[in-house]
Amino acid sequence: MMLFTEVRGLPVVPSAAGAGPLGTVVSLTVDVTSGSVSGVRFRVGHLHREKVLAWDAVVTIGPSAVRVRSTGGTEPVVTHHDLLGRRVLTEAGTAQGTVLDAAFDTATGRVLAVFTTRGEVSPGRLLGLGDHALVVRAA
């Protein structure tokens, strides 16, 4: 298990020995429908261009780096809504705090819990993530 905040800022490195870092993790992309991490967003080069690498390309995530198979399959940067710092609302629009962090399984990418200013939200309650908020089922 690891927290999203622990992954932010880690170097993204290829699994091949001797290769240097490819970039630095900016955030993790979440598919709330499946309740899993779907990609790793990272910054590349001096111009800080962002790229997204599908979760399938991740070999390991540890305290010192994110090791990936290849960056040949990077996807163009699409609209992304960062989970961290997002408002939390029920489907009825009732405020449920703000997302502070999220825990996930580093082997599978499965989101284990979302930690908010009002407590823990189980991944089974996640309904959607958009421009305005993370939408959850009422407890």
Side-chain angles (χ1 to χ4, degrees):
M1 179 188 85
M2 201 164 187
L3 298 174
F4 278 37
T5 54
E6 294 173 321
V7 177
R8 201 180 257 179
L10 288 179
V12 176
V13 297
S15 57
L22 303 169
T24 305
V25 176
V26 175
S27 65
L28 298 175
T29 302
V30 176
D31 175 11
V32 294
T33 305
S34 69
S36 296
V37 175
S38 59
V40 177
R41 293 177 66 86
F42 62 101
R43 237 177 232 132
V44 181
H46 300 309
L47 299 176
H48 301 291
R49 291 176 296 129
E50 285 191 6
K51 291 189 176 186
V52 179
L53 192 60
W55 177 257
D56 295 347
V58 173
V59 176
T60 60
I61 293 184
S64 61
V66 176
R67 293 204 175 280
V68 298
R69 286 189 229 315
S70 164
T71 59
T74 56
E75 302 167 10
V77 176
V78 294
T79 302
H80 165 74
H81 306 292
D82 197 351
L83 184 63
L84 302 181
R86 189 70 52 197
R87 289 181 56 188
V88 181
L89 299 173
T90 66
E91 67 268 59
T94 305
Q96 296 292 305
T98 304
V99 176
L100 297 173
D101 214 337
F104 71 104
D105 182 322
T106 57
T108 64
R110 196 94 171 124
V111 175
L112 304 172
V114 177
F115 304 106
T116 74
T117 53
R118 292 213 181 156
E120 186 176 322
V121 175
S122 70
R125 291 182 52 206
L126 304 181
L127 293 174
L129 179 61
D131 288 334
H132 185 64
L134 170 66
V135 180
V136 299
R137 285 185 185 85

